[in-house]
Amino acid sequence: ADQHREIGSQYGIQGFPTIKYWRMGDKKSGPQDYQQARTLKALQTAALAEVNSKAVITVKAVADVDKRIEASPTKTVAVLISNKNKVPPMFAVMAASPQLTTMPFLFVSQEKAKAVVDALGVTTFPTVALVSKGDDGEYSLNTYDGKVEYKGIAQFVLAKVKGAAPADAAEEAPTQEEVEEKPVSPPKKSLPVTPITLTGEYLADFCSSKAKTLYKRLPLCVIAGEDFDLNPLHAKYQNSDMLFFNSDSVDTLSTSLGMDAPLKDGDVLLMRAFKDSKVKYIVVRKGDDVDNVVQRALEGTAPWVRGESFPTL
């Protein structure tokens, strides 16, 4: 926490230890606060409660299996045949793994899909298998025979996704962390959810036209001196497309924007990018009604001024 204070500030962390989590499969909402007991059992219960099985297809008919095999890029599906009626959390999480999304995950209940169980010829439960279908119409099952655990099953399925024979998975398969890690470029910074200290990097990423590329939005940036309390404004407008920053270099911003009168302590700058490296701004001087100006800015009725160039710190 001491080494990464900016991250803590970004997510509004005031004390330690703090536990936050992101809901499974939800990229839109921000982090959630964990407010239950700090015990292993409580943490496990809370984590399991957040797991959903949206990525797993529950099938009850043989035709459904055939349909999923035909649609699969590898003409193969990963199937869990169980004597339970509910998808286990481990299988649900695995199905949502970024590197395994091209593999359909099917769940078959022995009780509710007996015809499917018979067609697959499965008699032992639970059974995890990679299922395909030959030209003769017969099912082919490559059954996982290792320990029932996330790492082993994930590596077994990943080997098929990557085109290797599952038998070779033990030697070449990645770790569980590699399975979960999506091979993309370094992640972009998360948009700040509370007022934070403005840096040149934050200014360029969050308040310039670059934000449109990174975040598909051009937020209204509200910038004030270090002594100005932005928390009341943030509390009122936290659900609006706005970001809040304090800065000890507001005079530098006013110079690069080409203002006739520089920003002073107690002043507030509203700024929004609109194209290329261009920005427009509104200055709310100390003592003026900031809330009223913010409302008018959001409504599009406030008088904007075009900056001479994109500001720097």
Side-chain angles (χ1 to χ4, degrees):
D2 290 334
Q3 294 178 0
H4 303 283
R5 290 183 179 275
E6 290 184 352
I7 296 176
S9 176
Q10 181 174 330
Y11 291 109
I13 295 174
Q14 303 296 324
F16 311 102
T18 293
I19 300 175
K20 289 180 178 283
Y21 65 93
W22 280 256
R23 288 201 165 99
M24 181 177 173
D26 185 357
K27 297 181 179 179
K28 294 182 179 180
S29 64
Q32 310 296 311
D33 291 320
Y34 175 79
Q35 298 177 331
Q36 300 181 45
R38 303 296 179 87
T39 64
L40 177 59
K41 183 177 180 180
L43 282 165
Q44 288 177 331
T45 300
L48 290 174
E50 293 292 335
V51 175
N52 65 68
S53 57
K54 294 179 181 179
V56 180
I57 304 160
T58 298
V59 295
K60 297 181 179 180
V62 173
D64 293 335
V65 178
D66 294 345
K67 178 181 177 182
R68 300 301 175 179
I69 291 175
E70 182 60 32
S72 171
T74 60
K75 303 302 179 186
T76 302
V77 293
V79 183
L80 168 61
I81 305 98
S82 175
N83 54 4
K84 308 291 185 181
N85 293 327
K86 186 177 180 181
V87 178
M90 180 184 70
F91 203 64
V93 172
M94 195 181 305
S97 175
Q99 287 202 32
L100 300 177
T101 53
T102 58
M103 173 64 73
F105 280 73
L106 311 187
F107 176 76
V108 178
S109 166
Q110 177 194 17
E111 178 184 342
K112 296 184 176 182
K114 189 175 185 304
V116 177
V117 175
D118 292 343
L120 297 177
V122 174
T123 57
T124 302
F125 309 98
T127 289
V128 175
L130 296 174
V131 181
S132 57
K133 201 169 187 180
D135 295 335
D136 58 1
E138 295 293 324
Y139 290 109
S140 173
L141 275 67
N142 189 333
T143 304
Y144 172 75
D145 58 4
K147 184 178 179 182
V148 180
E149 61 176 8
Y150 184 98
K151 181 178 180 180
I153 298 174
Q155 291 176 348
F156 174 75
V157 177
L158 183 64
K160 181 63 179 179
V161 170
K162 290 189 171 182
D168 298 333
E171 179 180 350
E172 300 181 5
T175 63
Q176 178 175 342
E177 289 73 21
E178 291 172 324
V179 170
E180 287 301 313
E181 181 182 0
K182 189 174 182 179
V184 294
S185 55
K188 63 195 178 198
K189 301 179 187 68
S190 297
L191 289 167
V193 294
T194 60
I196 63 172
T197 299
L198 185 65
T199 66
E201 190 174 14
Y202 286 163
L203 185 68
D205 284 348
F206 301 142
C207 301
S208 73
S209 55
K210 182 180 178 181
K212 183 70 172 178
T213 301
L214 292 176
Y215 306 100
K216 311 302 180 186
R217 57 195 285 199
L218 291 173
L220 173 62
C221 292
V222 181
I223 305 169
E226 289 286 354
D227 296 331
F228 190 95
D229 184 8
L230 286 169
N231 287 303
L233 274 179
H234 172 262
K236 182 172 182 178
Y237 295 103
Q238 59 183 320
N239 293 323
S240 300
D241 196 12
M242 299 171 62
L243 302 177
F244 298 84
F245 302 95
N246 285 108
S247 174
D248 59 1
S249 303
V250 289
D251 54 338
T252 303
L253 291 173
S254 55
T255 300
S256 55
L257 284 170
M259 294 181 185
D260 294 332
L263 290 167
K264 299 179 180 179
D265 288 339
D267 294 343
V268 177
L269 174 68
L270 310 183
M271 188 176 73
R272 173 170 275 161
F274 63 93
K275 67 175 183 178
D276 300 329
S277 58
K278 304 294 184 182
V279 294
K280 53 186 180 180
Y281 67 89
I282 301 171
V283 175
V284 186
R285 295 298 179 183
K286 183 177 182 180
D288 290 344
D289 189 344
V290 179
D291 186 14
N292 178 264
V293 178
V294 169
Q295 289 186 39
R296 291 167 58 202
L298 293 174
E299 294 167 356
T301 59
W304 291 92
V305 178
R306 292 196 177 191
E308 292 183 358
S309 61
F310 187 78
T312 57
L313 285 178

